[in-house]
Amino acid sequence: MLTRGVERFFNVVSYLLPWGILACVFFPSFVYFTFFEPSFLVRVVVNYLVWLLAMVLCLRALFLGQNKSTASFSPAHWTFATACICLLSVFTLRLSMLGNFEHTDTMGTNNWVNQFFSLSVIVMPLILCFSLCLLCSCRKEQLLAELTLKAKQDSQKKERFLTLLSHELRTPLNAIVGHAELIKQAPREPLKYSQYCDVIISTAMSLADLANQVLLNARGKSSKQVPLNLAQFAELLIVQFQPLVKDREISLCTHLTGFSSDKLFLVDQDSIGLVVKNLLSNAIKYTESGDITLSIKQQSTSDKGSVIRFEVTDTGEGMTQGQVEQLFQPFSSFDSARSIAQSAGVGLMLCQQILEALDTQLHVSSTVGQGSAFYFDIELSLSNAEQNSGQGSLSEEHVEAQLCGDILVVEDNQLNQEILKHFLSSLGLNYEIAGTLSAAESALRNRQFDIVFLDMHLSDGHGLDWYQGVFKQFQFQQAPVVVAITGDVDEQSQRAYREAGIEYFMAKPIQQARLERLLSQLLMPAKHFLDEQNILDYSVIEGLTETMSPQVLNAKLMYLNDRLDYEFAQLRGLADIQAYEALEEKLIQLEEEASALGMMMLHIALQDVRLSMFDLIGVDWQSLHSLAKRSAHKLSEYHSKVLQ
């Protein structure tokens, strides 16, 4: 027990074989020489073997636990080693004294040998226990010292990070405020207006990227991996940075080698995107003219995936070896006169930290007067997702179709209200603004909405609590889709929204292109909502009353709502499993039925879906189902009026 405890204390591997061999010798010998042929001498020798093995293994554990070096022994370690050696010496001395042992002697014989041994076996265990207590105390002191050192290092690291973060935040903020002042001073120069606005938008989005990365660092992990098309990823980055080189003699381009452009890889998009953006912005900053190239190369392949190299090269000023060595120090800049307003807002030191979290490093090669190359290699796995799944696509397609719908915006910040008003007005959508949750409740009671944009942090409560406690209590004919608009972009908040039933959310700052793409998914094109009067073809309905008996028509209309629920559940299921032939047959069947019942708008919508069936990613089955139920409701209402 003593040996096993010491081995566990020093985290040393224990061997059971010596104990097994000794047990096979000790127990039979002890029993035989106690009850069958009593022999005190043999019992002492066998007992000595047990203590010899125990003390040797304890000393071995002590030696291995200190990395085979006595230089790291503390007084507690030396005390324990001395106690083990002394205890073993006592038993050895006892064994050596057996030469003068008389046959008539026993443990109770009053001689100096027995007296010495009795005193030793009382004192030595006490010394051994004392040394073990010293070891435990020493271990606690070491752990406390390690924790204190780690806390000090963490505090220094946090302080350094916050200092760097403050600098990196203030730099783009200075660019935003400065360019806003320039706009005020250039009231009649539209071209400069546009240029200044491009800089402000780009810099503001860089701040958003930095905020996202700070959240990731605070959680101590990287963001989740998503299927990503690297070719589209590279093209989108180039498009985002084009405004920064529009009036300069700089050419931005991409170069992909070693893999097919339609492959999807599992990529930590937030982290990798932030690093590449910073490398591109630095290349633009230090390049007066020439080429800047974003290269994505497949270096090698294995069973686990492919090693991909991301590299940004430029034809700028280049750097000396001394400058390269200082490059990853905070606040290092080799041209203080050059503005870093166009930077992505994250220093190369933070980029290196991000890549280290992904088990890779940023490398630099540079030649003065010829340019620089920044690159890193990372192993990526292939994704099994379909190319058109939309998860990895970064397409910025503009929504050309005119949309139609009623939208409620629940937002208490006046500036955010003005931004959403402008975006929604430019899309020709009807909207209503509610500055508080109580105002939102009143609006929902008085009017039917298709979408509710719900801010999560409002002056009179939290949006998620209101959604769970109040919104779900409303008796909607057709519940509007709720979209969370919030700055809480961490994974935990998103999970809370999904668990509560909010499937869509938009992170602040809101961009018009993203808003348009979301609305194109949630709203049907305007031609499907022409007019409440045109939702039905009344001539067809009047013909039905003449050709079909009232009882049959009443029965058909009575169960129409339930049947539409069943049919649209089937449509969604067929679309999910990509059973296109069965889906086409079902759409044709519903088209014919909608046409026969005079539901003209539903007939047009179903026809459009069928004709663009292989682009089902843009189909909003919920809105289509809502249109079907509205049509059925209008049809029942009109039929009741005709019968009256």
Side-chain angles (χ1 to χ4, degrees):
M1 292 175 65
L2 172 65
T3 304
R4 183 60 181 147
V6 172
E7 288 174 338
R8 285 193 176 185
F9 184 84
F10 289 108
N11 296 319
V12 174
V13 177
S14 59
Y15 296 104
L16 299 179
L17 181 60
W19 290 107
I21 295 174
L22 187 59
C24 293
V25 174
F26 176 81
F27 288 109
S29 301
F30 198 85
V31 171
Y32 180 79
F33 289 103
T34 300
F35 300 103
F36 298 98
E37 189 175 340
S39 175
F40 176 71
L41 295 177
V42 174
R43 293 200 305 270
V44 171
V45 171
V46 174
N47 192 45
Y48 174 78
L49 293 176
V50 175
W51 278 98
L52 176 63
L53 178 62
M55 294 299 99
V56 169
L57 292 178
C58 284
L59 291 171
R60 168 185 169 271
L62 175 65
F63 187 62
L64 295 179
Q66 296 305 112
N67 298 320
K68 301 180 180 181
S69 173
T70 57
S72 60
F73 275 29
S74 67
H77 294 96
W78 284 115
T79 302
F80 178 72
T82 303
C84 291
I85 294 172
C86 290
L87 190 57
L88 184 58
S89 300
V90 168
F91 282 101
T92 304
L93 182 61
R94 173 64 174 167
L95 190 66
S96 65
M97 292 176 180
L98 293 179
N100 299 324
F101 186 77
E102 299 292 337
H103 184 67
T104 57
D105 288 345
T106 65
M107 287 290 292
T109 303
N110 187 16
N111 56 38
W112 75 272
V113 175
N114 283 338
Q115 291 174 356
F116 171 76
F117 184 71
S118 299
L119 182 62
S120 299
V121 296
I122 292 173
V123 174
M124 292 310 302
L126 295 177
I127 297 175
L128 187 63
C129 291
F130 176 72
S131 66
L132 290 172
C133 292
L134 287 179
L135 279 178
C136 293
S137 177
C138 180
R139 173 64 60 85
K140 288 183 178 180
E141 288 181 3
Q142 287 179 348
L143 291 176
L144 182 60
E146 290 174 1
L147 290 174
T148 303
L149 179 62
K150 186 176 183 301
K152 185 177 180 180
Q153 290 174 345
D154 290 344
S155 177
Q156 292 175 347
K157 183 178 178 181
K158 179 181 178 182
E159 189 68 27
R160 187 181 185 188
F161 177 78
L162 291 177
T163 302
L164 176 62
L165 181 62
S166 174
H167 175 270
E168 298 292 352
L169 284 172
R170 291 176 184 276
T171 297
L173 282 174
N174 179 64
I176 292 173
V177 174
H179 281 79
E181 292 290 342
L182 291 175
I183 288 178
K184 290 171 61 178
Q185 298 172 14
R188 296 183 182 179
E189 299 184 43
L191 182 59
K192 285 191 176 181
Y193 254 49
S194 177
Q195 293 173 351
Y196 295 156
C197 288
D198 286 340
V199 172
I200 290 175
I201 292 171
S202 175
T203 311
M205 294 311 299
S206 299
L207 279 177
D209 289 338
L210 178 58
N212 290 340
Q213 192 57 45
V214 169
L215 289 175
L216 295 177
N217 288 343
R219 294 203 306 267
K221 60 180 182 180
S222 58
S223 58
K224 63 181 181 180
Q225 293 184 330
V226 297
L228 188 67
N229 183 299
L230 295 181
Q232 294 179 357
F233 171 73
E235 288 296 333
L236 177 58
L237 288 177
I238 295 301
V239 169
Q240 290 179 347
F241 281 90
Q242 282 293 349
L244 301 182
V245 299
K246 186 168 53 178
D247 298 326
R248 301 170 63 182
E249 297 178 357
I250 297 176
S251 172
L252 290 178
C253 60
T254 61
H255 184 62
L256 278 71
T257 55
F259 61 92
S260 175
S261 61
D262 60 351
K263 279 187 178 180
L264 293 180
F265 292 90
L266 290 175
V267 180
D268 188 339
Q269 181 179 336
D270 292 338
S271 299
I272 297 296
L274 191 58
V275 172
V276 176
K277 283 181 181 178
N278 186 61
L279 298 181
L280 285 171
S281 64
N282 281 343
I284 294 172
K285 184 172 86 175
Y286 290 104
T287 303
E288 293 294 338
S289 62
D291 299 324
I292 296 175
T293 304
L294 170 59
S295 301
I296 303 179
K297 311 172 186 177
Q298 180 172 280
Q299 298 291 97
S300 62
T301 58
S302 64
D303 295 337
K304 296 182 179 179
S306 302
V307 176
I308 304 296
R309 170 169 293 184
F310 292 82
E311 183 174 17
V312 175
T313 58
D314 62 64
T315 57
E317 303 172 357
M319 294 175 287
T320 64
Q321 185 60 35
Q323 290 174 327
V324 170
E325 292 174 356
Q326 299 178 3
L327 194 59
F328 296 103
Q329 298 298 322
F331 315 121
S332 61
S333 178
F334 309 125
D335 187 357
S336 58
R338 192 185 302 271
S339 168
I340 60 173
Q342 296 174 342
S343 165
V346 181
L348 288 175
M349 174 182 161
L350 286 181
C351 288
Q352 189 71 283
Q353 291 180 357
I354 294 169
L355 292 177
E356 287 176 355
L358 299 175
D359 296 326
T360 185
Q361 283 190 333
L362 184 62
H363 302 278
V364 187
S365 62
S366 183
T367 304
V368 176
Q370 297 183 15
S372 305
F374 291 79
Y375 63 92
F376 60 91
D377 298 334
I378 187 167
E379 187 171 8
L380 302 177
S381 301
L382 282 173
S383 171
N384 295 324
E386 295 292 333
Q387 174 65 28
N388 62 352
S389 65
Q391 295 296 327
S393 175
L394 295 174
S395 175
E396 296 285 346
E397 293 180 1
H398 181 71
V399 180
E400 296 181 357
Q402 178 66 39
L403 301 174
C404 183
D406 295 321
I407 297 173
L408 174 63
V409 177
V410 187
E411 170 64 67
D412 57 351
N413 185 281
Q414 190 170 359
L415 293 177
N416 291 335
Q417 288 179 4
E418 293 299 324
I419 291 170
L420 286 169
K421 282 181 184 179
H422 173 75
F423 288 164
L424 296 175
S425 298
S426 65
L427 294 172
L429 295 169
N430 299 320
Y431 62 87
E432 184 173 335
I433 303 293
T436 61
L437 293 174
S438 57
E441 293 177 35
S442 301
L444 289 171
R445 290 191 185 97
N446 299 328
R447 183 176 172 185
Q448 177 69 35
F449 293 96
D450 299 299
I451 298 175
V452 175
F453 284 109
L454 178 61
D455 185 22
M456 289 293 107
H457 300 280
L458 293 144
S459 57
D460 57 343
H462 195 280
L464 187 59
D465 296 335
W466 178 81
Y467 173 80
Q468 293 175 308
V470 178
F471 181 84
K472 288 189 174 181
Q473 303 301 321
F474 277 90
Q475 300 297 323
F476 295 108
Q477 181 181 352
Q478 179 64 38
V481 178
V482 176
V483 179
I485 50 175
T486 176
D488 300 330
V489 296
D490 57 288
E491 186 177 347
Q492 183 178 356
S493 297
Q494 294 179 30
R495 189 185 305 113
Y497 301 151
R498 287 192 295 268
E499 289 175 354
I502 301 177
E503 297 182 7
Y504 302 94
F505 79 96
M506 291 201 69
K508 295 178 180 178
I510 297 173
Q511 291 181 287
Q512 186 167 3
R514 292 181 181 177
L515 179 65
E516 290 179 3
R517 288 199 303 275
L518 178 63
L519 291 175
S520 69
Q521 295 177 10
L522 300 180
L523 297 175
M524 296 292 288
K527 63 181 180 179
H528 295 158
F529 297 93
L530 302 174
D531 188 285
E532 286 294 327
Q533 300 297 323
N534 294 329
I535 196 169
L536 301 175
D537 188 338
Y538 297 102
S539 61
V540 174
I541 300 172
E542 291 171 0
L544 283 176
T545 58
E546 298 175 359
T547 58
M548 191 178 297
S549 65
Q551 294 81 6
V552 174
L553 185 56
N554 283 335
K556 196 175 188 68
L557 295 180
M558 184 181 300
Y559 297 105
L560 182 59
N561 252 322
D562 293 336
R563 214 170 67 75
L564 286 172
D565 290 340
Y566 172 76
E567 296 290 352
F568 272 88
Q570 280 197 324
L571 287 176
R572 291 187 184 189
L574 293 172
D576 288 341
I577 64 175
Q578 298 181 357
Y580 294 123
E581 292 184 4
L583 181 61
E584 185 176 16
E585 291 179 4
K586 179 65 67 176
L587 287 170
I588 292 174
Q589 176 188 339
L590 285 177
E591 280 179 48
E592 292 175 350
E593 184 171 359
S595 178
L597 291 175
M599 295 188 288
M600 179 180 63
M601 200 177 293
L602 178 61
H603 169 76
I604 296 173
L606 290 169
Q607 189 178 55
D608 283 352
V609 170
R610 180 172 57 84
L611 294 176
S612 60
M613 190 172 58
F614 295 101
D615 189 25
L616 291 173
I617 190 172
V619 176
D620 184 0
W621 296 106
Q622 183 175 350
S623 296
L624 194 59
H625 188 191
S626 173
L627 174 60
K629 292 177 76 71
R630 286 173 57 200
S631 301
H633 179 69
K634 289 286 185 182
L635 178 58
S636 298
E637 280 186 348
Y638 182 75
H639 180 62
S640 300
K641 291 178 182 179
V642 171
L643 288 180
Q644 291 175 357

